[in-house]
C-alpha cells in the first residue's frame, strides 16, 4: 500500500497590493508541496483567515489596507493556540532596523525586503515544506 502524500505546507498571504498578492500566489502555487489557503489585505481579514485555516506559515506585509502587519504579528504572538502557531515571515519595503527588531521581538522568523528578496522568500517557503 502506497504511503499517503505529505500534507502540503499551508500558507496564508497577507498583502494589500492586489497585483503583488496575485503574483505571489501564482509563484507559491508553482512550488511543490505548497498550498496558499487564503489571502487578506487588512489586519482583521488576516486574523480571521489565520484563525480559520490554521496555516503553517504566514507571509505578512507590514503596510495593510486597514490595520497593520505588526498588529497581526502581535496577535499571533499573544494568542498562538487560537491561530495554530504559524511560522511568521515578513515581506515588506519597510526594513528599517527598528522595525526589524520589533518584528523579531514578535517572533518573526525572517524579514524579506520586497525590493530585492522575492527569490529568497520563495526559497525559504520551499525549504519549509514538510518532508516525510
Amino acid at each position: 500500500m502506497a504511503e499517503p502524500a505529505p500534507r502540503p505546507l499551508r500558507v496564508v498571504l497577507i498583502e494589500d497590493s492586489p497585483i503583488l498578492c496575485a503574483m505571489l500566489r501564482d509563484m507559491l502555487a508553482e512550488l511543490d508541496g505548497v498550498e496558499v489557503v487564503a489571502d487578506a489585505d487588512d489586519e482583521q481579514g488576516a486574523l480571521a483567515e489565520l484563525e480559520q485555516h490554521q496555516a503553517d506559515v504566514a507571509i505578512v506585509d507590514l503596510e495593510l489596507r486597514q490595520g497593520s502587519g505588526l498588529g497581526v504579528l502581535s496577535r499571533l504572538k499573544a494568542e498562538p493556540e487560537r491561530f495554530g502557531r504559524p511560522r511568521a515571515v515578513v515581506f515588506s519595503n519597510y526594513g528599517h532596523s527598528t522595525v526589524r527588531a520589533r518584528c523579531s521581538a514578535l517572533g518573526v522568523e525572517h524579514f524579506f525586503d520586497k525590493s530585492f528578496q522575492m527569490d529568497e522568500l520563495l526559497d525559504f517557503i520551499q525549504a519549509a515544506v514538510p518532508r516525510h
Side-chain angles (χ1 to χ4, degrees):
M1 185 174 195
E3 288 190 23
R7 182 175 75 80
L9 183 78
R10 299 162 47 84
V11 176
V12 171
L13 187 53
I14 303 160
E15 169 60 57
D16 66 335
S17 160
I19 293 168
L20 186 55
C21 187
M23 186 174 75
L24 268 172
R25 190 179 257 286
D26 290 347
M27 294 172 100
L28 290 165
E30 291 178 16
L31 300 178
D32 284 339
V34 175
E35 179 185 3
V36 178
V37 293
D39 60 65
D41 65 359
D42 66 0
E43 185 175 332
Q44 288 307 314
L47 292 169
E49 295 293 358
L50 286 162
E51 185 173 19
Q52 179 182 345
H53 293 285
Q54 302 286 302
D56 300 304
V57 177
I59 299 174
V60 184
D61 182 12
L62 297 180
E63 293 288 312
L64 300 175
R65 195 171 50 78
Q66 289 184 320
S68 76
L70 288 172
V72 172
L73 296 168
S74 295
R75 293 288 295 278
L76 288 177
K77 183 172 173 64
E79 302 177 76
E81 294 80 20
R82 177 177 171 193
F83 300 105
R85 301 180 187 278
R87 297 168 71 180
V89 297
V90 169
F91 189 55
S92 178
N93 287 324
Y94 301 94
H96 190 275
S97 59
T98 5
V99 173
R100 286 176 184 258
R102 182 142 179 233
C103 288
S104 185
L106 291 172
V108 169
E109 222 172 288
H110 207 295
F111 194 108
F112 298 96
D113 191 304
K114 280 184 184 178
S115 313
F116 61 92
Q117 289 188 302
M118 172 87 71
D119 289 342
E120 288 92 335
L121 171 64
L122 295 172
D123 289 345
F124 176 90
I125 296 298
Q126 186 67 74
V129 172
R131 304 281 182 226
H132 296 289

